[in-house]
């Protein structure tokens, strides 16, 4: 065999021998398991287009929060391929996935506290596995005036089902939160979704940490 073909043969053999990663299917969100606190305004998740029948808070969570959660799982998970049920790839047969991640309950609440003037010390740059981006951190530190800080918290009871073993691979409860001043916007819901995704993955074999 000519030597020129040897590298191609080795490369082809290596590609064929490479193991196919197990897939984690992020299951669709059942709106019946969603609970939104009565004092929490979920309307910021609604489309700017007028609607004859305003969607319920649970429907808004399914349309906006859950896709952001699925994207964060797909970005942060390690040693596994992820199919997000809200993405275009969801057309693939979920039965081909070894693992299925399901949210058995998902609740949202908010709490507020008045804080005094405080100094926020410098913080180093931090890589966020749920976004794939590096946060610049706080290089110099700064003082923050007194005011009211609100925290949006998403709590979930979840399970990762192993189709091969026909048994749960992991299960538990987790929460993700976003703190802010003023009114909550979509960015706060997005942050809570990312934090919830990371909190769940920390309890599994697919942890990014």
């Amino acid at each position: 065999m000519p030597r020129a073909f040897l590298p191609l043969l080795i490369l082809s053999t290596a590609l064929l021998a490479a193991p196919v990663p197990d897939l984690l299917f992020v299951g669709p969100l059942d709106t019946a398991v969603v609970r939104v606190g009565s004092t929490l305004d979920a309307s910021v998740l609604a489309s700017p287009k007028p609607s004859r029948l305003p969607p319920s808070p649970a429907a808004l969570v399914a349309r906006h929060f859950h896709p952001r959660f699925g994207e964060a799982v797909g970005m942060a998970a390690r040693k596994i391929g992820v199919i997000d049920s809200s993405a275009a790839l969801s057309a693939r047969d979920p039965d081909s996935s070894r693992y299925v991640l399901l949210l058995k309950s998902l609740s949202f609440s908010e709490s507020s506290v008045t804080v005094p003037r405080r100094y926020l010390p410098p913080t180093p740059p931090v890589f966020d596995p749920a976004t794939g981006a590096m946060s610049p951190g706080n290089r110099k530190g700064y003082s923050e005036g007194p005011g009211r800080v609100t925290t949006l918290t998403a709590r979930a009871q979840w399970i990762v089902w192993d189709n091969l073993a026909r048994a749960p691979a992991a299960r538990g409860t987790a929460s993700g939160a976003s703190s802010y001043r003023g009114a909550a916007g979509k960015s706060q819901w997005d942050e809570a979704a990312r934090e919830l995704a990371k909190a769940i993955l920390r309890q599994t074999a697919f942890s990014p940490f």
Side-chain angles (χ1 to χ4, degrees):
M1 178 181 295
R3 292 186 177 182
F5 290 105
L6 286 177
L8 291 176
L9 178 61
I10 294 173
L11 178 60
S12 299
T13 303
L15 290 175
L16 291 174
V20 177
D22 289 324
L23 295 176
L24 171 66
F25 180 73
V26 181
L29 181 64
D30 183 351
T31 55
V33 306
V34 177
R35 298 290 181 270
V36 179
S38 58
T39 62
L40 186 57
D41 183 12
S43 64
V44 295
L45 302 178
S47 169
K49 297 181 180 179
S51 174
R52 291 179 60 187
L53 294 176
S56 67
L60 291 173
V61 167
R63 292 179 189 177
H64 180 81
F65 182 92
H66 187 257
R68 298 298 179 272
F69 168 80
E71 290 171 3
V73 171
M75 180 67 71
R78 296 292 181 266
K79 303 177 182 178
I80 199 165
V82 177
I83 299 176
D84 175 10
S85 66
S86 63
L89 288 177
S90 62
R92 294 186 58 175
D93 182 3
D95 291 337
S96 65
S97 304
R98 175 172 177 178
Y99 302 100
V100 178
L101 170 60
L102 294 171
L103 299 185
K104 309 298 288 184
S105 68
L106 179 60
S107 62
F108 298 87
S109 62
E110 65 177 358
S111 60
S112 298
V113 61
T114 300
V115 298
R117 177 176 291 277
R118 57 185 178 175
Y119 173 73
L120 300 178
T123 56
V126 177
F127 175 73
D128 187 346
T131 62
M134 182 73 73
S135 170
N138 171 22
R139 189 167 63 90
K140 295 183 177 180
Y142 62 93
S143 292
E144 187 177 67
R148 197 164 184 81
V149 176
T150 303
T151 300
L152 166 67
T153 302
R155 295 181 177 86
Q157 181 184 9
W158 57 273
I159 181 171
V160 175
W161 181 262
D162 185 340
N163 284 319
L164 184 61
R166 297 184 179 181
R171 66 171 70 199
T173 57
S175 62
S178 173
S179 295
Y180 52 91
R181 296 193 180 207
K186 283 187 178 181
S187 61
Q188 279 72 47
W189 289 81
D190 291 349
E191 182 180 3
R194 293 192 296 267
E195 293 301 315
L196 178 61
K198 291 184 289 187
I200 290 176
L201 290 174
R202 285 190 188 98
Q203 302 179 51
T204 71
F206 319 126
S207 174
F209 305 98

